[in-house]
Amino acid sequence: MKKIVLVALCLISTIGAMAQKSKSVFIQKKDGKTIEIPANEVDSIYFGNSARLIQTDAKFSEATYHGNAFGTGVGVYTVMMSDKTFATGELDALPILQIAFATDIAPSASAMDIPAGTYNLSKNSSEKGVAVQRFTYYIDENGVRIAFKRATVNVEKKGTDYAIRLSGYLVGDTVRVEYTFNGAINFNYSPQLPYEPLSSDVTMVPTQGVGVYTTLDNDVAKAGNYTFTLFNTPFNSEGVVDGDGEILNIELLTNLSKPMNLDDLTGEYEIVMPVAGATYKPGHFIGGLYNTDYAVPMGTYLNYIYDFESQETYSEQYGFIASGTIKAKHENGVVNLQANLLTAEGKRITLNYDVPEASFMDNSGSESGAPQKAKKLFFAKKNLKKVSVK
């Protein structure tokens, strides 16, 4: 066994060079016999249990573009493939393979496209260039949906045609799946969002703003965290939003200080998206997304409220920031914020605003620093119902 493992490890590191010279791969078995395979025919080498093979050359394919369906700033395509036609319904096309591709947002139906490349199976639906595990599965002839434990999908473009190949194992490691498709794909445009996206560019002109300082000191991040809420909405006597307007939320990460030190804010900030595995450090601002688990917005985003009639009757749009830069400068009693941002759907949000020092609150928990008072900000009752504070 050791000999086989050592040979395989060597092959993994040299397979590229061997393939170029048209050499062969040799595997020596315990009984002394040697297996020879032309190197240019080897796609990958791995160890696993003996498995039943499902091998299909699909003739028919249907794709649906779901837009920013997860609210995380990625475009989602589901592609269904079968060796039977979908013309009379999916049940008649069983068994079916479905692959969920996470890609860039398509701004319109005419821009729908699955980019060429290699897509590895991933649980992270916020990451572009992966096959989303939750929605990539095999449906057998009885209509039973079976998830993949691991899989790799290769996509090639040939004009308007696609060449798609999936190689993977279903949960349990007892069934190996090899699916291929070559041809044109029928795309359906059906964007789905848990919110109404911002429909136009916005030059944000706040009338008021507050900043709250907290600290992050754990395994995820060691930084100061400034949350700005800037708004131009009217308020009633109870301090609740009471009319049309815009609310811009910004989260900046700075050096960690106790008590709050506004000089730490001076600098330029680049985006980091709040997804699994992200690295949070000073000099970042946290990108925006809609948390579908709790039905609340997070990070840096703009909330546009319109057609306001009452606390229970109004419309709203959200622009979740997916790229851009923010600059901050503390001087002369104010913190100047300048922002040039793009939402997940490509709408631009710009800002140039001075936040007075008196509008900051220090919630770092430092005994040596007297917290500065800031005005309280309330949101419409409809939104408060969605928020759960722990």
Side-chain angles (χ1 to χ4, degrees):
M1 179 64 182
K2 288 184 179 180
K3 181 179 291 185
I4 295 177
V5 173
L6 289 173
V7 170
L9 289 174
C10 178
L11 289 172
I12 291 173
S13 62
T14 61
I15 190 71
M18 292 175 62
Q20 292 176 359
K21 297 180 179 180
S22 299
K23 294 188 176 180
S24 296
V25 175
F26 297 91
I27 299 177
Q28 186 174 348
K29 300 172 62 177
K30 287 183 177 180
D31 60 8
K33 295 182 179 179
T34 299
I35 299 174
E36 178 181 357
I37 307 172
N40 58 6
E41 295 181 7
V42 176
D43 178 67
S44 60
I45 297 175
Y46 51 86
F47 294 93
N49 299 323
S50 178
R52 178 171 66 91
L53 174 64
I54 297 176
Q55 191 168 21
T56 302
D57 182 13
K59 305 298 183 186
F60 303 93
S61 182
E62 290 278 339
T64 301
Y65 174 66
H66 303 278
N68 186 13
F70 304 134
T72 55
V74 301
V76 181
Y77 293 85
T78 53
V79 178
M80 304 183 76
M81 299 187 295
S82 175
D83 58 355
K84 302 173 185 176
T85 180
F86 292 94
T88 57
E90 294 177 7
L91 291 178
D92 293 332
L94 296 175
I96 294 172
L97 173 69
Q98 174 170 296
I99 306 171
F101 294 95
T103 70
D104 289 326
I105 296 283
S108 65
S110 61
M112 290 188 297
D113 178 58
I114 301 172
T118 299
Y119 297 76
N120 292 314
L121 198 67
S122 174
K123 294 180 180 179
N124 188 357
S125 60
S126 303
E127 181 182 359
K128 297 177 183 178
V130 301
V132 183
Q133 186 173 27
R134 182 180 173 187
F135 299 101
T136 298
Y137 44 76
Y138 178 77
I139 307 175
D140 68 14
E141 58 275 6
N142 298 313
V144 177
R145 184 182 300 177
I146 308 170
F148 278 89
K149 181 176 182 179
R150 60 181 183 275
T152 299
V153 185
N154 292 306
V155 178
E156 296 180 6
K157 292 288 297 294
K158 301 176 180 177
T160 58
D161 287 354
Y162 289 84
I164 299 176
R165 177 186 175 187
L166 177 142
S167 179
Y169 280 81
L170 299 179
V171 170
D173 268 347
T174 59
V175 179
R176 179 175 148 226
V177 178
E178 298 284 342
Y179 248 76
T180 58
F181 172 79
N182 291 276
I185 295 179
N186 179 37
F187 283 94
N188 300 297
Y189 187 70
S190 180
Q192 301 171 6
L193 287 172
Y195 60 89
E196 181 184 348
L198 192 66
S199 60
S200 61
D201 296 344
V202 172
T203 299
M204 179 64 180
V205 183
T207 55
Q208 298 182 70
V210 296
V212 178
Y213 177 69
T214 57
T215 58
L216 304 173
D217 192 1
N218 50 45
D219 294 338
V220 177
K222 296 185 184 298
N225 184 196
Y226 285 87
T227 300
F228 293 88
T229 305
L230 313 175
F231 47 94
N232 54 31
T233 52
F235 291 84
N236 63 18
S237 59
E238 297 178 351
V240 179
V241 173
D242 196 36
D244 293 0
E246 299 151 347
I247 302 171
L248 177 62
N249 198 76
I250 295 175
E251 280 200 63
L252 303 182
L253 300 181
T254 68
N255 291 327
L256 195 157
S257 296
K258 289 186 179 182
M260 172 179 71
N261 181 0
L262 294 180
D263 287 337
D264 289 338
L265 278 165
T266 298
E268 186 167 340
Y269 297 80
E270 297 180 351
I271 194 168
V272 58
M273 294 302 295
V275 298
T279 300
Y280 301 94
K281 61 183 180 181
H284 280 157
F285 75 91
I286 299 177
L289 61 79
Y290 190 88
N291 187 313
T292 54
D293 292 330
Y294 297 97
V296 294
M298 298 173 57
T300 300
Y301 62 90
L302 185 135
N303 179 202
Y304 169 48
I305 298 171
Y306 65 101
D307 292 341
F308 187 96
E309 297 180 7
S310 70
Q311 299 299 326
E312 301 296 335
T313 306
Y314 60 90
S315 300
E316 59 184 344
Q317 296 179 349
Y318 283 99
F320 292 98
I321 304 307
S323 63
T325 59
I326 297 174
K327 295 180 181 179
K329 189 172 184 178
H330 176 223
E331 65 178 359
N332 301 325
V334 300
V335 173
N336 175 255
L337 293 174
Q338 297 182 32
N340 187 358
L341 308 169
L342 284 176
T343 70
E345 289 77 32
K347 303 304 179 185
R348 187 173 299 278
I349 298 171
T350 54
L351 168 76
N352 189 339
Y353 181 68
D354 291 335
V355 184
E357 289 179 350
S359 295
F360 284 84
M361 178 179 290
D362 185 355
N363 283 347
S364 64
S366 170
E367 295 180 359
S368 59
Q372 300 185 50
K373 293 183 178 180
K375 293 182 179 179
K376 291 184 178 180
L377 175 67
F378 296 88
F379 293 93
K381 293 178 182 177
K382 185 172 73 173
N383 285 347
L384 288 175
K385 290 181 179 179
K386 300 178 182 178
V387 179
S388 175
V389 180
K390 298 181 179 180

